[in-house]
Amino acid sequence: MDPQYQIASYIQRFISLTEEEASHFSSKFKVVKVRKKQFIVQPNFTAKKRFYVVEGALRSFVVNKSGQETTIALAINDWWITDYNSYIFQQPATMFVEALESSTLLELDFEKEQDLKKSNPKFETFFRIIAERGLASQQRRITMNLTKSAEERYTYFTEKYPQFLQHIPQYALASYLGMTTEFLSKIRNNKVKGKS
């Protein structure tokens, strides 16, 4: 599917647009292809773009002083990713955004997003809706991390987001769920044994 058509189709899941509006919206995006392990956002550089995943998988993560990585967000087809604090406030990023596999993305420049919002209240509504959904998702994740066991978090994730499992390496998923890779392996092995 043509990436410009895909983003026009995606936005219409949330708001209805005329053909002209959909064309105007999608014209602001640029198709970019990234290699596996390529960084599209890095700490200390301002994130000037947000990315819609046409095809592929990415993660955002931070690295602490001892070199330990913590995955903050995951994105596959039809998901968005960037360092949002950097992007929204146009200040230096604090995290990395890395491709987990070769990916096709649509990038939207910060200034072009502002222009879209000013040009049509429907576009403003669309960006508000996806921001609200992202905020609700972050709240669920924080609540789950504080109130559920590692096994419960893994079960919830696999039931709610099964499409991620074939794209996300175990180390990134474990980090995202707040556990070690070894512990995630143990949970997965126990689930497989439980099914046999």
Side-chain angles (χ1 to χ4, degrees), residues 46 50 63 77 161 168 188:
T46 300
R50 71 157 70 197
V63 181
N77 304 13
Y161 307 109
I168 305 299
R188 290 173 109 163

Side-chain angles (χ1 to χ4, degrees), residues 51-67:
F51 302 88
Y52 169 81
V53 183
V54 175
E55 188 173 13
L58 298 96
R59 73 171 178 142
S60 62
F61 66 97
V62 293
V63 181
N64 69 15
K65 287 180 181 169
S66 58

Side-chain angles (χ1 to χ4, degrees), residues 115-144:
D115 292 343
L116 278 171
K117 289 174 179 174
K118 288 175 193 161
S119 73
N120 189 325
K122 290 181 181 180
F123 301 152
E124 177 86 41
T125 298
F126 166 73
F127 286 112
R128 178 183 50 78
I129 290 169
I130 63 170
E132 289 170 349
R133 291 167 62 97
L135 182 60
S137 175
Q138 286 293 336
Q139 182 178 317
R140 274 194 309 275
R141 181 169 172 225
I142 292 167
T143 303
M144 293 281 292

Side-chain angles (χ1 to χ4, degrees), residues 32-178:
V32 292
K33 294 192 180 282
V34 294
R35 302 176 315 281
K36 181 177 182 177
K37 300 264 185 208
Q38 183 177 338
F39 294 111
I40 57 173
V41 175
Q42 294 185 63
N44 303 318
F45 296 93
T46 300
K48 302 224 177 268
K49 298 166 177 40
R50 71 157 70 197
F51 302 88
Y52 169 81
V53 183
V54 175
E55 188 173 13
L58 298 96
R59 73 171 178 142
S60 62
F61 66 97
V62 293
V63 181
N64 69 15
K65 287 180 181 169
S66 58
Q68 181 183 356
E69 297 178 1
T70 301
T71 300
I72 303 300
L74 300 168
I76 60 169
N77 304 13
D78 281 341
W79 286 65
W80 297 81
I81 196 162
T82 194
D83 177 329
Y84 284 101
N85 191 63
S86 174
Y87 180 76
I88 291 165
F89 296 107
Q90 287 297 282
Q91 62 189 29
T94 57
M95 62 180 72
F96 294 91
V97 178
E98 170 192 41
L100 295 170
E101 58 188 35
S102 292
S103 303
T104 302
L105 313 172
L106 285 173
E107 70 176 26
L108 178 61
D109 178 83
F110 178 80
E111 295 302 330
K112 288 183 179 174
E113 180 178 331
Q114 303 317 305
D115 292 343
L116 278 171
K117 289 174 179 174
K118 288 175 193 161
S119 73
N120 189 325
K122 290 181 181 180
F123 301 152
E124 177 86 41
T125 298
F126 166 73
F127 286 112
R128 178 183 50 78
I129 290 169
I130 63 170
E132 289 170 349
R133 291 167 62 97
L135 182 60
S137 175
Q138 286 293 336
Q139 182 178 317
R140 274 194 309 275
R141 181 169 172 225
I142 292 167
T143 303
M144 293 281 292
N145 284 348
L146 294 173
T147 63
K148 303 294 182 192
S149 70
E151 187 165 355
E152 288 170 323
R153 293 193 304 271
Y154 175 73
T155 299
Y156 173 83
F157 186 87
T158 59
E159 289 173 357
K160 184 147 178 78
Y161 307 109
Q163 69 276 26
F164 275 81
L165 300 178
Q166 63 191 13
H167 296 281
I168 305 299
Q170 192 162 304
Y171 73 88
L173 180 58
S175 171
Y176 179 77
L177 294 173

